[in-house]
Amino acid sequence: MIISGLEQAIIDRIIAHAGTGAGKLGYALTVGGYGGEFDTDQELASAAVNFPCALVLLKEIGAGVDVGQGQKVRLTYTVFVAAQNRRNEAARRRGAAGKPGSYQIAWDIRQLLKMQMLGFDDQIDGLVPGPVQSVINGKSNNRSISVYACSFSTIWYEDLSPVSDEAMGEFLELDVAWDVPPLGNVQPPLPTAEADARDLIKPRESNP
């Protein structure tokens, strides 16, 4: 499914570049799906958030525009970036003592994702950075944090061919790419073009 697949691909790309070393952001970063952690003080109080972090959410599936046998649909994702620093508000935003601030994380995520297709080259255009909005800048539930919502959008080319009732919800295909240690050549985004071993299961074709 393009919706969840693209969300996971965004998460995977950020994870792949978090940490230190060649091609990395230069700092550790907790990455995952957004679960409402910053919606309210109560949500933040009950959430086990490790800072700094980047949490991803599908924000909107836009209205479609007809193009031949399909339509162009705008998909918008939000990456919530957050930093914690007890020094002061400026340190939370700008960083201090070797810790990244929310500005640095937002900038890095923007550079990391812009115009990426993340393995969906035949289905979407590149991700386009959009508005960055302040969510929290100060103390929330006794946590000194700075949170920004970074928007990214793309155009999805949706096939409008009807799906039969029999095929709806049917398990059609399982693609398993095996990474055999110590080769370690299977990297996100998945499915990978090359794998140490691969199982491709198509129940409908195997059992006509």
Side-chain angles (χ1 to χ4, degrees), residues 6-8 10-12 14-15 25 29-39 43-44 47-59 76-83 105-106 109 113 135-136 143 145-152:
L6 184 53
E7 178 179 296
Q8 187 60 52
I10 292 171
I11 292 171
D12 290 343
I14 300 173
I15 289 175
L25 296 175
L29 190 64
T30 300
V31 187
Y34 182 68
E37 289 85 348
F38 308 124
D39 285 356
E43 292 286 355
L44 182 58
V49 182
N50 294 317
F51 297 95
C53 65
L55 306 177
V56 185
L57 170 75
L58 172 69
K59 179 182 179 181
T76 304
Y77 289 83
T78 298
V79 181
F80 292 90
V81 301
I105 303 170
I109 296 300
L113 295 178
V135 177
I136 302 172
R143 296 193 187 190
I145 62 175
S146 175
V147 182
Y148 282 86
C150 306
S151 178
F152 294 88

Side-chain angles (χ1 to χ4, degrees), residues 56-198:
V56 185
L57 170 75
L58 172 69
K59 179 182 179 181
E60 182 181 39
I61 302 176
V65 177
D66 291 341
V67 285
Q69 298 300 311
Q71 63 178 355
K72 296 193 298 184
V73 180
R74 183 172 297 278
L75 301 179
T76 304
Y77 289 83
T78 298
V79 181
F80 292 90
V81 301
Q84 183 178 43
N85 197 307
R86 293 181 175 83
R87 285 191 174 191
N88 51 51
E89 182 180 347
R92 291 189 288 274
R93 290 183 285 110
R94 301 175 187 173
K99 295 182 178 180
S102 55
Y103 286 173
Q104 182 67 56
I105 303 170
W107 175 261
D108 289 343
I109 296 300
R110 195 176 178 92
Q111 304 311 303
L112 193 60
L113 295 178
K114 66 181 180 182
M115 299 314 297
Q116 294 293 321
M117 296 184 184
L118 304 175
F120 294 91
D121 302 51
D122 59 340
Q123 298 181 61
I124 67 170
D125 291 341
L127 288 169
V128 177
V132 176
Q133 297 178 313
S134 174
V135 177
I136 302 172
N137 272 290
K139 287 190 175 181
S140 180
N141 192 50
N142 295 320
R143 296 193 187 190
S144 301
I145 62 175
S146 175
V147 182
Y148 282 86
C150 306
S151 178
F152 294 88
S153 65
T154 185
I155 297 298
W156 166 40
Y157 294 88
E158 182 181 16
D159 182 4
L160 292 181
S161 301
V163 178
S164 67
D165 292 344
E166 292 77 14
M168 184 66 69
E170 183 181 351
F171 176 30
L172 297 178
E173 181 175 304
L174 174 63
D175 188 348
V176 182
W178 298 99
D179 186 9
V180 180
L183 300 179
N185 61 302
V186 178
Q187 301 291 335
L190 300 175
T192 183
E194 297 182 5
D196 301 330
R198 166 166 273 122

